[in-house]
Amino acid sequence: FFFFMSDLVVRLVPVSPDLLGFDMVTISESDQDKELILGRGKLTGIQDVKVSRKQVYVTFHAPNPDTGETAFLAITVKGGKPSYIFRNANKAETIEVLPSCQAKVFHNDLLYLLRDKFAYRFEVVDAAAAESEAGPPRKKRRTDLNGERSLTELELLQQEHEKLKASSAKQIRTLSTRIQVLQDNTIDLETSLEKVEKKNLALERNIIKLQKQIKTLKALEAKEKSKYNTLKTLYDSSASTVHNVPSPQTVPTKRRRGRPSLASKRSRDFSEDDSDKDSEELLKEEKLIEADLEMEDSSEDDELTDTRVAELEQHQIGESWVDRAGQTCRWVSPGEFTDGINKFYTSVLIDKRCFSIGDAVYVFSPHGSDSYIGKILCLYQTPLNKRRVQIQWFYNQNELLSSPKLSQRDFKQHQPERKELFGSSIVDTNDVGVLDKHCIIKAANVENLEEIVSWSKSASGRFFYQKYYDNKTNTFPTDGPSLPAKFSYPEGSLEALKI
């Protein structure tokens, strides 16, 4: 829109992509004091129904030399939606003009009829400069009810560029928002997955403990049932013997504090001395059996006292951590070794149990079955803060019997003893959280085999081995295999680093 005065040209130049193809309209000097209506209609060429027909009323005010006030447009919003002024003078700012409100538009300000739509730039220039900018006749671009409208090639390219720029910025904002949402969802899923894994590991350990308790209760039940049957048999035999005695004078007085022998079932013509002797021997034998059962049911108590735990924590290296099962773990060692990548330690303290290099241990089974048995070769921490333990595994007899490579007949030819294990060359690494508790494994040979077997039967958690099982050749050599250890500690360092 042009407002012509004697030496000034006032114009509103369409600059937004949605006004592509619209040119400026010339208004005579006599109309400069009248209100100009900008909205949907023939004057602007806007057909969007979101724009009111009387969106903005515009009145031009010429510069006042007396007060020094520059030229400006006084606008009044009459439509139902607000208009906006983008002012890029000393400080860029956007002014919202609400319905029925007024505002001023100065030189080079942008007037948006709606938010981010239908923008005009207000310019006040000299008439001579405006004529020189007109240049040669422009190519005709569009014809409508207002007559011919034309744009130069440069203006067309600028408007296309603005349109593409606005579209690209909108797409970038949309994609950035979606990426942020996906990243947040991924973090939430990883956190939930980690919590579920911790709960599953805790449940597996609880199941293992319950299975062990059930097994122990069944063994106690069988033992009590056996004792009950034995006592019932003795009671029945005693009652039958007393019933067949001819007179009270012939009843032995010692029978009140002793129980009749099982031999009374075979013959009731025994003397008083034989009855008392058999009862005493039977009671003695029962006590030995009960003591043996109690020793067999006992386990190695490897939980440390609070005082001992406090002493070990004085040698703690680094910060403690909590594994997936909720156990508090920390490295305890007077020093640490490194191979240039990993850091190696001599001991790890898990709750109240301390596991060190060379210890024989029970290892949790991930399938909820009986625990595995192995020997700790090294303890280390990776650059990614993974706490690992390297273990040499030992086979028990049930594992070998269930192997498809080894037949039961071939295995029994070796005549394995009870609680006998078989060494192996299988070595792998696991998280230190798989360590359960300690056990004892001793090496046996022909000379001390009988002594070692008796020692292993005296309590739970005691095992021995005298052969190795080679799963590749299905043989049982007596010579130990070479173990691929993760780290070789310097000679004498294990004794120096023991706590």
Side-chain angles (χ1 to χ4, degrees):
F1 305 94
F2 282 95
F3 296 88
F4 284 97
M5 297 198 322
S6 58
D7 57 351
L8 294 177
V9 175
V10 180
R11 58 188 179 187
L12 290 172
V13 183
V15 295
S16 60
D18 45 31
L19 294 177
L20 179 65
F22 294 94
D23 206 349
M24 297 173 287
V25 177
T26 303
I27 299 177
S28 63
E29 184 178 357
S30 60
D31 295 332
Q32 60 181 298
D33 294 331
K34 296 181 181 179
E35 285 186 332
L36 176 68
I37 301 176
L38 299 180
R40 186 174 78 252
K42 296 180 181 180
L43 181 62
T44 61
I46 298 173
Q47 300 179 0
D48 193 341
V49 296
K50 296 181 180 179
V51 182
S52 174
R53 293 184 183 274
K54 299 179 180 181
Q55 178 68 24
V56 178
Y57 281 63
V58 179
T59 304
F60 173 71
H61 292 268
N64 190 343
D66 297 335
T67 61
E69 187 176 16
T70 60
F72 66 92
L73 289 180
I75 66 169
T76 304
V77 179
K78 298 292 185 178
K81 297 181 180 180
S83 296
Y84 297 87
I85 300 172
F86 177 75
R87 182 156 296 156
N88 191 14
N90 296 329
K91 181 180 180 182
E93 59 177 341
T94 301
I95 302 173
E96 181 181 13
V97 186
L98 299 174
S100 302
C101 294
Q102 297 180 351
K104 293 181 180 180
V105 180
F106 295 96
H107 176 65
N108 278 338
D109 288 351
L110 297 181
L111 172 61
Y112 289 85
L113 299 186
L114 297 179
R115 179 187 289 273
D116 297 330
K117 287 187 177 181
F118 310 115
Y120 295 89
R121 182 172 65 248
F122 173 57
E123 295 179 352
V124 181
V125 297
D126 294 337
E131 291 179 359
S132 64
E133 289 178 1
R138 292 174 292 181
K139 184 184 291 185
K140 295 179 180 179
R141 294 289 296 169
R142 176 174 177 177
T143 302
D144 56 13
L145 296 176
N146 289 322
E148 290 184 348
R149 300 177 183 272
S150 61
L151 291 174
T152 63
E153 293 295 335
L154 178 59
E155 288 175 333
L156 290 174
L157 291 175
Q158 287 178 348
Q159 291 183 355
E160 289 290 343
H161 175 70
E162 292 294 334
K163 186 176 181 179
L164 291 174
K165 187 176 179 181
S167 177
S168 300
K170 184 177 180 180
Q171 291 180 0
I172 289 173
R173 288 195 300 268
T174 304
L175 291 175
S176 300
T177 303
R178 291 181 180 177
I179 291 173
Q180 185 63 37
V181 172
L182 291 175
Q183 289 177 348
D184 295 340
N185 293 337
T186 301
I187 294 174
D188 294 340
L189 290 175
E190 289 178 351
T191 304
S192 301
L193 180 60
E194 185 176 358
K195 291 180 180 179
V196 170
E197 289 179 350
K198 289 182 179 180
K199 291 181 179 179
N200 288 340
L201 184 58
L203 288 175
E204 289 179 357
R205 293 192 173 183
N206 290 334
I207 290 173
I208 294 173
K209 291 180 180 179
L210 290 175
Q211 289 177 345
K212 291 181 178 179
Q213 292 178 1
I214 291 173
K215 188 175 181 180
T216 303
L217 291 175
K218 287 183 177 180
L220 292 174
E221 181 183 4
K223 184 177 70 173
E224 295 295 332
K225 188 174 182 180
S226 176
K227 291 170 62 177
Y228 170 77
N229 293 333
T230 302
L231 292 174
K232 183 179 180 182
T233 302
L234 292 173
Y235 176 79
D236 294 339
S237 175
S238 176
S240 175
T241 303
V242 173
H243 180 71
N244 292 331
V245 174
S247 63
Q249 289 78 10
T250 60
V251 178
T253 57
K254 293 184 180 180
R255 192 164 298 179
R256 296 177 182 176
R257 57 185 179 89
R259 285 180 280 185
S261 171
L262 292 175
S264 60
K265 292 184 178 180
R266 302 172 184 167
S267 174
R268 297 179 181 174
D269 295 333
F270 55 88
S271 62
E272 297 178 2
D273 296 337
D274 292 339
S275 175
D276 294 338
K277 181 179 180 181
D278 292 340
S279 299
E280 292 176 358
E281 291 179 354
L282 181 59
L283 290 173
K284 184 177 181 181
E285 182 179 356
E286 288 179 358
K287 291 180 180 179
L288 291 175
I289 294 174
E290 292 176 1
D292 184 56
L293 289 174
E294 290 176 357
M295 292 179 66
E296 184 62 27
D297 291 336
S298 63
S299 61
E300 301 293 335
D301 184 10
D302 58 348
E303 287 193 357
L304 305 176
T305 62
D306 295 338
T307 303
R308 182 55 177 160
V309 170
E311 293 176 357
L312 291 174
E313 288 179 342
Q314 295 179 359
H315 300 275
Q316 178 176 338
I317 297 179
E319 298 181 354
S320 60
W321 70 93
V322 179
D323 63 7
R324 293 183 177 181
Q327 301 180 113
T328 302
C329 309
R330 50 272 196 207
W331 297 120
V332 288
S333 177
E336 62 183 11
F337 294 100
T338 180
D339 58 356
I341 300 176
N342 301 314
K343 296 179 180 179
F344 294 85
Y345 305 91
T346 58
S347 303
V348 59
L349 185 61
I350 302 178
D351 283 346
K352 291 188 176 182
R353 289 188 170 95
C354 184
F355 300 94
S356 302
I357 304 300
D359 288 354
V361 292
Y362 288 106
V363 179
F364 283 110
S365 170
H367 308 294
S369 58
D370 292 339
S371 299
Y372 299 130
I373 298 176
K375 180 181 179 181
I376 298 177
L377 297 182
C378 69
L379 296 160
Y380 64 98
Q381 180 171 319
T382 67
L384 298 178
N385 290 331
K386 300 292 184 180
R387 289 88 175 183
R388 312 291 288 175
V389 55
Q390 188 181 32
I391 301 176
Q392 175 196 5
W393 298 108
F394 285 80
Y395 291 107
N396 59 38
Q397 299 181 26
N398 292 332
E399 292 173 341
L400 293 180
L401 289 175
S402 61
S403 174
K405 297 182 179 180
L406 187 65
S407 64
Q408 186 174 2
R409 183 182 62 181
D410 294 338
F411 177 69
K412 289 187 175 180
Q413 289 180 355
H414 297 278
Q415 298 179 355
E417 297 286 346
R418 181 169 172 264
K419 304 184 76 173
E420 181 178 359
L421 302 177
F422 295 87
S424 73
S425 60
I426 299 178
V427 176
D428 61 9
T429 59
N430 296 271
D431 189 270
V432 295
V434 302
L435 300 177
D436 183 9
K437 60 181 181 180
H438 291 85
C439 61
I440 303 176
I441 304 175
K442 288 188 176 182
N445 51 41
V446 179
E447 298 177 355
N448 63 356
L449 179 60
E450 183 177 355
E451 179 183 354
I452 293 295
V453 170
S454 176
W455 166 83
S456 65
K457 293 180 180 180
S458 62
S460 61
R462 296 183 178 183
F463 303 93
F464 72 96
Y465 72 97
Q466 55 181 337
K467 297 179 181 179
Y468 293 84
Y469 173 65
D470 189 345
N471 59 346
K472 295 182 180 179
T473 60
N474 282 338
T475 57
F476 292 85
T478 56
D479 296 332
S482 60
L483 300 178
K486 183 75 176 178
F487 179 75
S488 296
Y489 289 86
E491 185 178 357
S493 60
L494 295 180
E495 290 74 11
L497 293 176
K498 281 186 179 180
I499 299 176

